[in-house]
Amino acid sequence: MDAPRDPGLDGVVPFRFACHRCGHCCSGHSGFVWLAAGEVEALAASLGATSAAFAARHVRAVRDPRTGEQRLALRETEAAGGRCTLLVGRNTCSAYAARPQHCRTFPYWDSVLQDPAGFEAARATCPGIAVVVDEETRVQAFAALARLYASLAPSDPPTTCCLDEPGSETTFATALEVDYALAAAPTPAGACRLGNRRPGACRTQGSGEECLQAVRAIERAVGYPAAYSALADLISTREGMR
């Protein structure tokens, strides 16, 4: 059976989405998660609380900036602007099974699907959103990236892979680098899973800032959609879209 069509493909900026529960949409920036009728009661029941007690702690009455209407929304932690009060730790929703419809439908909101600025704001928060790249742009970007990698000073093959060591320092990469790495089977290079297609951060000593800037230059030159996040997160997201 064919997979259902991703609604993001019909957006003003076509995209695909794969959630890996990073929690960024629950903590990235201040905004509104609107509550529909009955959702306060459902959320309260999921936490074993009365509706009044839940509302006192987790609900606020605010004016919808689009309509001027007074509405109910989830409360945010004032000390960490944008962080939902239902969030536990980095990425765990304490009422996930009963979460509001507004949460369930992210990022397929009208503001994201119909407004380029709204889309860019969502994409800046969520590494699970991937802009659809046309084939010509992809071919040009991959060729330029391959030339960049070939120009780097040779480095010793890694003896460990950062993807296999969750306790190690987080490795970051661009979406272009991850798309290139996943586009073909890599040639082994030491213990690295991505081998000869590994991103610049795995190739250079120190911060790899010069390599990153060179990748950014490629993105700008060919119009490749820019995104930058933890390597493991990007791989998890983009592997699910292949």
Side-chain angles (χ1 to χ4, degrees):
M1 181 180 296
D2 293 337
R5 178 179 172 81
D6 192 316
L9 294 173
D10 298 319
V12 64
V13 180
F15 69 92
R16 290 186 174 89
F17 171 67
C19 179
H20 46 80
R21 298 192 183 183
C22 64
H24 294 177
C25 58
C26 307
S27 59
H29 57 80
S30 184
F32 303 103
V33 173
W34 303 116
L35 296 169
E39 289 185 331
V40 170
E41 291 77 10
L43 285 162
S46 74
L47 296 177
T50 65
S51 297
F54 177 87
R57 183 174 180 181
H58 298 291
V59 179
R60 54 181 172 153
V62 292
R63 197 170 298 280
D64 188 330
R66 300 166 300 178
T67 66
E69 175 188 5
Q70 192 80 359
R71 301 179 65 183
L72 296 181
L74 287 179
R75 190 180 297 277
E76 297 173 349
T77 303
E78 294 181 5
R83 181 180 171 86
C84 178
T85 58
L86 290 173
L87 197 62
V88 178
R90 185 175 71 90
N91 61 355
T92 301
C93 175
S94 59
Y96 185 78
R99 67 195 185 282
Q101 187 67 12
H102 199 181
C103 296
R104 294 173 186 271
T105 55
F106 178 84
Y108 305 120
W109 299 344
D110 288 346
S111 60
V112 176
L113 295 172
Q114 299 174 12
D115 179 11
F119 168 79
E120 289 300 333
R123 189 164 75 95
T125 297
C126 176
I129 295 175
V131 179
V132 174
V133 182
D134 65 86
E135 188 61 20
E136 181 179 355
T137 299
R138 184 181 296 271
V139 168
Q140 292 180 2
F142 284 7
L145 188 61
R147 290 193 296 270
L148 170 63
Y149 287 168
S151 72
L152 297 176
S155 59
D156 294 332
T159 56
T160 59
C161 182
C162 61
L163 297 173
D164 295 326
E165 298 183 349
S168 63
E169 184 176 349
T170 302
T171 299
F172 285 81
T174 65
L176 168 56
E177 292 174 296
V178 172
D179 289 343
Y180 175 76
L182 298 177
T187 300
C192 180
R193 277 199 235 166
L194 301 179
N196 66 322
R197 287 183 168 252
R198 64 193 184 279
C202 303
R203 296 171 178 269
T204 55
Q205 301 296 323
S207 66
E209 185 63 28
E210 289 186 9
C211 182
L212 175 60
Q213 293 308 312
V215 174
R216 290 300 198 202
I218 292 172
E219 292 172 341
R220 293 191 296 270
V222 304
Y224 204 95
Y228 184 72
S229 189
L231 174 60
D233 287 348
L234 282 173
I235 289 176
S236 173
T237 297
R238 299 174 102 82
E239 276 187 330
M241 299 174 187
R242 300 174 69 195

